[in-house]
Each structure stands twice: as structure tokens, then as C-alpha cells.
Amino acid sequence: MFSNVLSRVLSALLKHVRSYIVFPQVEDLATVKGDFYALGHIPNIIGAIDGTHVALVPPRRSEQVYRNRKSYHSMNVQMVCLADQYISQENAMFPGSVHDAYILRNSSIPYVMGQLQRHRVWLLGDSGYPNLS
């Protein structure tokens, strides 16, 4: 059955995901900032953050929380990408009814960016993301 195969594939991938999805470390900041500056001439950016809705069939008992503002059921997946389009952070824990700002506030990003505050670095996001400085 497809769902059994999918479950095994996802379990195998999850064992390795932390090896590939890694937020920039202090020693990488100069390179990461330089890569973003080369793209758009905006200084001190270390990532671009946004959410995307991944459609799904919701569980029957909580169908309403998965309905997003466009009236279909989804998960709202937040990601941070580097200038080279590699994903450096992801959060797929929230249903489609949850706003991007809520996901940000309830993720590890505010803590991580707080640790990097003395390096004066920023994430670039759309109007759905508040300035948390």
C-alpha cells in the first residue's frame, strides 16, 4: 500500500535531514552575507524566510484547523533559504489556518537570531513577518 511505503521513505529521510538542513553558523556569516549581497545589494542578510501551503486531506476530527485563508486544507510550512537556494531551516508543525508570524514566534528562529544579534544579521521576509529586533 502506498501509505506504508511513504511512511518508510519519510522515516528514512528524517534520519538524515539534520545533516543537510543547517542554519548558518557564526563562522559562515561573512560568506552567507556576501552571497546575499551579491544577489540584491542588501547588506547583512543571512536568509530569506517564508511560508508555503502544502495541500493535504485533513484528519476528520480537526478538519477546520487545516483550512487556510484560501479555503483549502493544508500545512503551513515555514522555510529559511540561503542565497544559493539551499534550505537552512524548516518548520512543518502547523496547520494551514496558522499565520506565518505565529509560526515564526513559535519556532527556534527568534532564539537563533537572538544568539546572532551581535553580528547584526537579518532574515529577509515579506509583510507576514514582523520585525523581531
Side-chain angles (χ1 to χ4, degrees):
M1 183 171 234
F2 176 76
S3 62
N4 293 336
V5 173
L6 179 62
S7 178
R8 287 191 300 229
V9 169
L10 290 174
S11 293
L13 288 172
L14 286 174
K15 290 178 184 176
H16 302 285
V17 73
R18 294 295 165 222
S19 300
Y20 296 100
I21 299 178
V22 180
F23 204 79
Q25 303 300 304
V26 171
E27 58 271 14
D28 304 322
L29 293 180
T31 301
V32 174
K33 289 190 314 184
D35 292 346
F36 268 102
Y37 189 81
L39 279 177
H41 300 288
I42 303 172
N44 300 322
I45 300 297
I46 62 165
I49 186 169
D50 204 0
T52 188
H53 287 269
V54 178
L56 56 71
V57 175
R60 289 183 191 184
R61 69 182 188 285
S62 55
E63 178 180 348
Q64 67 282 358
V65 299
Y66 289 89
R67 187 175 304 279
N68 64 32
R69 63 185 172 82
K70 302 220 177 181
S71 294
Y72 67 91
H73 298 98
S74 66
M75 293 292 294
N76 191 353
V77 180
Q78 173 188 274
M79 289 188 211
V80 176
C81 292
L82 303 175
D84 59 9
Q85 300 178 7
Y86 279 91
I87 298 170
S88 64
Q89 192 271 349
E90 57 75 31
N91 186 339
M93 298 178 8
F94 293 93
S97 63
V98 176
H99 192 272
D100 291 346
Y102 181 87
I103 296 172
L104 173 63
R105 285 188 187 99
N106 289 279
S107 73
S108 61
I109 294 297
Y111 173 78
V112 171
M113 292 303 291
Q115 297 296 308
L116 297 174
Q117 186 176 25
R118 65 187 168 96
H119 298 283
R120 300 182 53 87
V121 294
W122 303 96
L123 293 177
L124 187 61
D126 63 21
S127 62
Y129 291 94
N131 183 347
L132 296 178
S133 60

